[in-house]
Structure formats: C-alpha cells, structure tokens
Amino acid sequence: MMFRARQSGVALIEALVALLVFSLGLVAIASLLAVALKYQTGNEARLNVSAVIDDLSERIRVNAPGANGYSGVGVEGKGYLLTDAYSEQVAEVVTEPAKDCASAVCTPAELAVFDLARWKNTLRAALPGGAGYVTGDVRAGFDVSVMWFDKGAVDEKGDALEQAACTKKKEDLQTGSARFCCPEGAKAPAGVRCYTARVLP
C-alpha cells in the first residue's frame, strides 16, 4: 500500500513534462518560420531589384532623345532624373501621369515623365518601401539607385544599420556596411538598402 501511495501522481507529472517539451518545440518552429519569412522577403526584394533596373534602362534606351528632357523643340523638363529624397517618395500618393503615352502620341519629354511615373509605381509595388534615385545624363550614363526597406539590415542587437558613406575610397568600399550605401542626396534612413547600377542609353 505504501508503494502505491508513492506512485500516485507520476502519470500527471509525465504528462506535464511531455506538454512542456511539446510547447518548447512549437515555439522553436514558430521562430524558425519567422526567420525564414524575413529572409524570403529579402530574397524576393533582391530578385525584383534587377528587374526594375532593367525596366528603367529599357525605357531610357527607347527614349534616348527625351532622356535629358528634350521635347523635340527644346529642353522641357528633367527627363529621367529623379532626385527626391527617400522620405518624400515614400510619402507620395500613387498617381498616374497627366498624359497617357501608352495610348496617345507624346513628345520625348512627355514620354520621360510618363515612364518615370510608371517606374515609381512599379518600385512601390515590387519592393517594400521601394523608391528610386536617378542622376546623370545621356553622355556619361545614368546612375540608377533602387532603394527598399530591408528587415534583414540589422546589427546583432536588432537595430537598423546606419548608411555607410558612399565614397570611392578603397577602405570604405571594403567595409561590411558598404553594401547598404545609398546616394547622399536620397537621405535614406537606417534600414534602407540600396543597389546602384550604371545605365548607358
């Protein structure tokens, strides 16, 4: 009788231990799924970056006469230049250009405005916090920067990484944070990743 009294409640303790182990396993699986989702979003963004740069480069090549804002009569606009700060672009309301060059005849300058508006809308749809920054001209080529918010751009503490200095110095290019370098005029906040490519019309 004494042995049976000592054994009572063992099954309940075993069930509670099994439940605890099972709960810890579920928590580990949930955290693994969260990390996988974060990296999947980052990978999709990196895949989309090359597609949106190709999109703009084709638009510039098709409309090389309007790339610097040339209308056929004189200079009339900025062409494909996009120098608004990151925060301004993200806060903008998505709009369609006044003249739809897909269905109407446009001057080269109007086509550039139309193309740029369409490209900005594509950036917003394809990338989280997507924005662009374009400088240059037809002769030297255009530096096209694509900017997007990257959840993976954090340090060991989980804080968003500050932007690296965009310089051509060898020592700056070799730092780990150089891959987060954005054009100075874009004023991109911490956590925004940039990719820049040269487009020649």
Side-chain angles (χ1 to χ4, degrees), residues 61-85:
R61 287 185 183 114
V62 167
N63 187 27
N68 288 340
Y70 183 67
S71 66
V73 180
V75 175
E76 194 181 282
K78 308 188 297 182
Y80 289 97
L81 297 183
L82 177 58
T83 55
D84 298 336

Side-chain angles (χ1 to χ4, degrees), residues 40-78:
Q40 179 184 358
T41 304
N43 288 338
E44 285 176 9
R46 283 188 281 278
L47 287 172
N48 289 335
V49 165
S50 61
V52 294
I53 288 178
D54 285 345
D55 178 40
L56 185 64
S57 66
E58 287 304 312
R59 291 177 187 272
I60 291 173
R61 287 185 183 114
V62 167
N63 187 27
N68 288 340
Y70 183 67
S71 66
V73 180
V75 175
E76 194 181 282
K78 308 188 297 182

Side-chain angles (χ1 to χ4, degrees), residues 58-195:
E58 287 304 312
R59 291 177 187 272
I60 291 173
R61 287 185 183 114
V62 167
N63 187 27
N68 288 340
Y70 183 67
S71 66
V73 180
V75 175
E76 194 181 282
K78 308 188 297 182
Y80 289 97
L81 297 183
L82 177 58
T83 55
D84 298 336
Y86 176 83
S87 58
E88 293 171 15
Q89 291 185 54
V90 172
E92 268 181 13
V93 178
V94 177
T95 57
E96 287 295 321
K99 191 169 184 180
D100 184 6
C101 294
S103 59
V105 177
C106 293
T107 66
E110 290 171 335
L111 182 58
V113 170
F114 174 79
D115 285 343
L116 206 53
R118 281 284 174 98
W119 188 64
K120 285 165 68 176
N121 291 342
T122 300
L123 284 171
R124 291 179 185 153
L127 301 164
Y133 196 81
V134 184
T135 57
D137 56 37
V138 174
R139 283 186 182 172
F142 291 90
D143 287 326
V144 179
S145 296
V146 174
M147 302 177 282
W148 72 98
F149 182 76
D150 188 359
K151 292 180 183 177
V154 294
D155 60 16
E156 294 80 18
K157 297 176 188 173
D159 298 327
L161 289 175
E162 293 293 333
Q163 298 302 324
C166 277
T167 69
K168 302 293 183 190
K169 294 178 184 174
K170 188 176 178 183
E171 59 270 17
D172 288 339
L173 292 173
Q174 291 175 343
T175 61
S177 57
R179 62 187 168 195
F180 300 104
C181 172
C182 291
E184 190 176 334
K187 298 177 183 169
V192 172
R193 187 182 291 250
C194 296
Y195 180 79

